[in-house]
Amino acid sequence: MPKNNFTRTALTGACLLAALTLGATPAIQAATPVNTAANKASAKGQAFNQLSHQFIEALWLLDPDAALYAGRYEQAAKLPLPDAATRARQLAFAEDWLQRFANVDEAKLTVNQRTDLAQLRNKLESDRFYLGSFREFEWNPAAYGVASALDLMLSTDYAPLPTRLRALSERIAAIPAYYRAAQASIKNPTLEHTQLAIRQAPGNVSVLDDVAKAGQSAKALKPAEKALLAERIAAAKGTIQGQIDFLKGLEKELLANPASARSFRIGAALYEPKFKLDIQSGRSAEQTYEKALAAREQLLAQMDQLADQLWAKTLGDAPKPADRTAKIGHVIAKLSERHVARADFFKEIRRQIPVLQDWVVKHDLLTMDAKKPLVVRETPVYARGVAGAGIEAPGPYRPQDRTYYSVTPMDDISDAEAESNLREYNHWMLQILNIHEAIPGHYTQLVYANKSPSLVKALFGNGAMVEGWAVFSERLMLESGYGGNEPEMWLMWCKWNLRSVTNTILDYSVHVKGISEAEALDMLIRQAFQTEQEAREKWRRVQLSSVQLTSYFSGYSEIMELREARKAQLGDKFKVKAFNEQFLSYGSAPVHVIRELMMQR
């Protein structure tokens, strides 16, 4: 999965934003124009373009961290403080801009502008919801961390290293105040998010060590600057250790008195509005859950037929169970014995990337840009503990920067746990993982998103579209003949697709229906054929996130519906590559928005 609103994922909730004098004229000059599509807009349409531009520039002043992830570094030295005053300014900002956008006359806008306006309103309504109702800043200690932005500044050549180090030094100087504000904000934490914060905290120290090493080796820094940087890093590391002690104190209290801990389950009252804002689907959360139940049955029927087809090949003369679930499970378990060695896991991932790119080009599925760098790396410590793999892509202001395909290593798990992981990501599943995360999945989609003529749609991306495309891309590859149309590959694709469907069922069942850990694990292991290690990691993930797991199936199902509608509309004129490239040309807009834009052409 990709990371954050600006292509870096948002599992920790709304950004905690910095101060801004509301209504002031932004001082930052935009590096990329807004709404550059060749529209002959009316005077009011042109006024909306300017208003959108003003909003985005004001947002970067309000939120320097979000600006970094979008590729804007003018305020890189500023570390936003997660305090009550900042949140009050953020809420006032959202209310102010919602009113400004409410005054826009939609009748005078083009369809592209109207859909941009809807995205801007949704972003602001979402910020208001997270601050006013969801209030994750009170109960999720893992929402507070400084490593990601520091790592991004250090590893991105947006300016000469000495300039970046000076900005890093200023940002690091504010870390003690940052964690004081964080501790004051935490009111009623969940045990699970507290433990995640403890696990991720050492990653903040390791990034500071990287900055220290770069600072000492930088010849252009004056001795006094190096000394000041070293002093600030030492103070920051002491603060982070104090934060770890604070978190461990919270954990001790919560373990001693579990009844005092807030539940990780967000409940029905928060789930439905969060789903509406995050997913932006034409369906409600409950309707999506019901649709997923029906999709699960369709997949199981298909898997039943494939298991019959593969039984003799995989299990010989062994008696075939009458129970459908047991039969499918036996075949998958046998096939899963074929997997890469633990020591070769990363090597195999790196080997497959150019193979996938060659397939996409040779089968005319998409136009690929070979110049866009993709780096496979181990997930940084500060980002571990939620998902096993993810894409970190550059923002639209700096599309030339590296995209990281981060995979959590198996260094700190037992041989049995590693074997369980490797069976889950067996010979076939590992290929599907790389299709999903890299080519033509997240990596490819985010390259296209950065080329969108609408900066609004590129910046304020919809997670269901992003994840939905990655799931759709798996099917796209198999439909083109990837995997030789072997029943083994199709069975494993069904298992993988069942995972996306089950994500929706699991997330809704846990957060709304309140199912137990035992029920969740049975759903994942017995009913969805996942290995125990994979299932336990998913159980951890559903405790640490909400709604995001529904984005895979929600987005995928809507893309499939759009493709069928487009086929019916175009008939013999429908072309796979044309559909794919047109779909991706709209940035990361919600699927229903893309449908409106595509179907009216």
Side-chain angles (χ1 to χ4, degrees):
M1 66 181 185
K3 279 189 98 181
N4 216 310
N5 231 6
F6 307 98
T7 66
R8 294 187 167 222
T9 13
L11 287 176
T12 55
C15 295
L16 300 168
L17 305 182
L20 172 73
T21 303
L22 296 179
T25 301
I28 298 177
Q29 180 64 38
T32 302
V34 181
N35 297 318
T36 57
N39 293 317
K40 293 183 179 179
S42 65
K44 289 191 175 181
Q46 292 171 358
F48 170 72
N49 288 349
Q50 184 60 33
L51 187 65
S52 299
H53 172 83
Q54 290 172 354
F55 165 75
I56 291 171
E57 293 303 302
L59 179 63
W60 299 155
L61 289 173
L62 182 73
D63 188 355
D65 277 2
L68 290 180
Y69 298 129
R72 293 287 293 274
Y73 291 88
E74 295 93 335
Q75 295 197 103
K78 296 183 180 179
L79 176 63
L81 297 184
D83 58 12
T86 292
R87 291 189 288 272
R89 284 189 289 269
Q90 182 188 4
L91 186 58
F93 178 86
E95 296 289 0
D96 175 51
W97 278 96
L98 278 169
Q99 184 57 53
R100 295 194 200 191
F101 288 129
N103 293 331
V104 173
D105 185 356
E106 293 188 42
K108 302 296 184 181
L109 303 182
T110 67
V111 65
N112 283 297
Q113 291 172 321
R114 286 199 302 275
T115 51
D116 275 3
L117 177 60
Q119 281 302 99
L120 292 169
R121 287 173 172 166
N122 186 85
K123 184 263 184 298
L124 291 165
E125 289 167 358
S126 180
D127 288 347
R128 184 168 63 181
F129 168 77
Y130 274 98
L131 284 166
S133 301
F134 202 61
R135 304 181 69 82
E136 191 170 5
F137 57 84
E138 292 183 344
W139 51 263
N140 180 8
Y144 302 102
V146 296
S148 182
L150 297 178
D151 191 20
L152 185 64
M153 291 169 64
L154 183 62
S155 61
T156 303
D157 296 328
Y158 70 88
L161 180 60
T163 301
R164 302 193 329 258
L165 287 168
R166 293 183 186 106
L168 281 162
S169 182
E170 288 188 46
R171 181 174 270 261
I172 290 167
I175 287 177
Y178 175 92
Y179 280 110
R180 285 195 298 272
Q183 291 180 17
S185 297
I186 298 169
K187 305 295 185 186
N188 184 24
T190 77
L191 173 62
E192 294 77 12
H193 289 91
T194 302
Q195 291 174 332
L196 175 65
I198 293 169
R199 178 178 178 178
Q200 293 181 336
N204 294 288
V205 176
S206 64
V207 172
L208 287 170
D209 287 339
D210 292 340
V211 175
K213 188 183 301 181
Q216 291 306 309
S217 63
K219 296 179 181 179
L221 284 187
K222 298 176 182 178
E225 290 177 313
K226 291 184 178 182
L228 181 60
L229 176 60
E231 178 184 328
R232 288 171 169 174
I233 288 174
K237 290 171 75 172
T239 295
I240 291 168
Q241 184 56 55
Q243 176 71 359
I244 294 172
D245 293 340
F246 168 76
L247 293 170
K248 288 183 176 179
L250 287 178
E251 180 188 34
K252 184 177 180 180
E253 292 176 12
L254 295 171
L255 288 171
N257 186 14
S260 69
R262 178 191 175 103
S263 171
F264 67 85
R265 305 174 197 269
I266 68 170
L270 289 174
Y271 195 95
E272 197 68 62
K274 187 173 190 288
F275 179 91
K276 180 180 179 181
L277 291 164
D278 288 1
I279 303 301
Q280 299 179 67
S281 169
R283 300 183 179 91
S284 68
E286 185 176 11
Q287 288 169 336
T288 303
Y289 166 76
E290 295 292 341
K291 186 175 178 64
L293 290 175
R296 179 170 66 176
E297 179 54 36
Q298 293 171 356
L299 279 168
L300 288 172
Q302 185 178 353
M303 294 172 80
D304 187 33
Q305 294 177 359
L306 289 165
D308 280 334
Q309 186 178 347
L310 287 165
W311 185 268
K313 184 177 179 180
T314 55
L315 292 156
D317 296 331
K320 188 188 298 184
D323 178 73
R324 178 179 69 177
T325 301
K327 177 175 57 180
I328 297 169
H330 282 311
V331 175
I332 287 177
K334 186 64 178 178
L335 290 173
S336 299
E337 293 174 5
R338 183 181 174 187
H339 60 72
V340 69
R342 180 178 186 174
D344 296 332
F345 191 66
F346 274 84
K347 184 193 302 182
E348 178 61 16
I349 290 175
R350 293 188 178 101
R351 184 196 69 79
Q352 288 183 18
I353 300 303
V355 174
L356 295 173
Q357 178 148 320
D358 287 346
W359 182 277
V360 169
V361 172
K362 289 177 181 177
H363 290 79
D364 211 25
L365 302 180
L366 283 163
T367 300
M368 299 291 296
D369 187 348
K371 297 178 182 178
K372 299 296 182 183
L374 175 62
V375 179
V376 180
R377 69 168 182 177
E378 293 186 359
T379 305
V381 174
Y382 64 78
R384 296 181 190 177
V386 180
I391 286 287
E392 298 177 45
Y397 293 106
R398 292 186 58 85
Q400 74 278 12
D401 290 339
R402 287 169 291 191
T403 295
Y404 291 105
Y405 178 7
S406 299
V407 182
T408 302
M410 292 181 271
D411 298 342
D412 59 349
I413 60 177
S414 67
D415 289 343
E417 290 170 328
E419 176 64 18
S420 182
N421 263 346
L422 293 167
R423 284 173 178 256
E424 182 67 26
Y425 296 97
N426 55 57
H427 172 74
W428 299 275
M429 292 282 277
L430 187 57
Q431 295 175 70
I432 299 172
L433 172 69
N434 291 329
I435 291 169
H436 179 102
E437 296 292 347
I439 298 171
H442 288 319
Y443 161 75
T444 304
Q445 184 265 317
L446 293 168
V447 168
Y448 270 82
N450 280 341
K451 298 177 182 179
S452 170
S454 166
L455 187 59
V456 168
K457 292 182 177 70
L459 286 171
F460 308 111
N462 172 249
M465 180 275 179
V466 174
E467 292 295 358
W469 169 264
V471 177
F472 174 79
S473 73
E474 304 152 15
R475 179 162 179 162
L476 174 68
M477 288 288 278
L478 266 67
E479 286 179 342
S480 72
Y482 184 85
N485 281 315
E486 295 179 349
E488 292 91 342
M489 177 61 90
W490 276 108
L491 179 61
M492 288 301 177
W493 174 83
C494 286
K495 176 189 169 180
W496 185 279
N497 199 251
L498 181 61
R499 177 193 292 194
S500 297
V501 171
T502 303
N503 281 347
T504 291
I505 300 169
L506 174 72
D507 199 71
Y508 191 84
S509 297
V510 167
H511 286 286
V512 176
K513 293 180 172 293
I515 66 169
S516 67
E517 177 181 0
E519 291 172 310
L521 291 176
D522 179 73
M523 180 189 299
L524 295 166
I525 296 172
R526 186 181 64 83
Q527 300 177 49
F529 315 106
Q530 296 177 22
T531 63
E532 182 174 353
Q533 182 70 9
E534 177 70 19
R536 292 196 177 280
E537 288 177 359
K538 186 60 61 69
W539 168 248
R540 181 186 303 117
R541 182 170 168 182
V542 78
Q543 294 174 85
L544 298 172
S545 68
S546 56
V547 174
Q548 194 275 334
L549 282 171
T550 70
S551 61
Y552 301 84
F553 173 70
S554 177
Y556 166 72
S557 61
E558 291 189 355
I559 295 171
M560 289 298 295
E561 290 166 4
L562 170 57
R563 187 177 73 167
E564 294 311 303
R566 194 67 168 151
K567 283 182 177 179
Q569 182 185 52
L570 296 178
D572 293 341
K573 295 180 181 179
F574 178 87
K575 302 296 181 186
V576 171
K577 184 177 183 179
F579 173 84
N580 295 338
E581 293 191 339
Q582 187 183 354
F583 181 86
L584 294 180
S585 71
Y586 299 110
S588 299
V591 179
H592 74 87
V593 169
I594 296 175
R595 184 187 183 105
E596 179 183 357
L597 294 170
M598 287 183 74
M599 297 297 287
Q600 57 100 27
R601 287 180 59 177

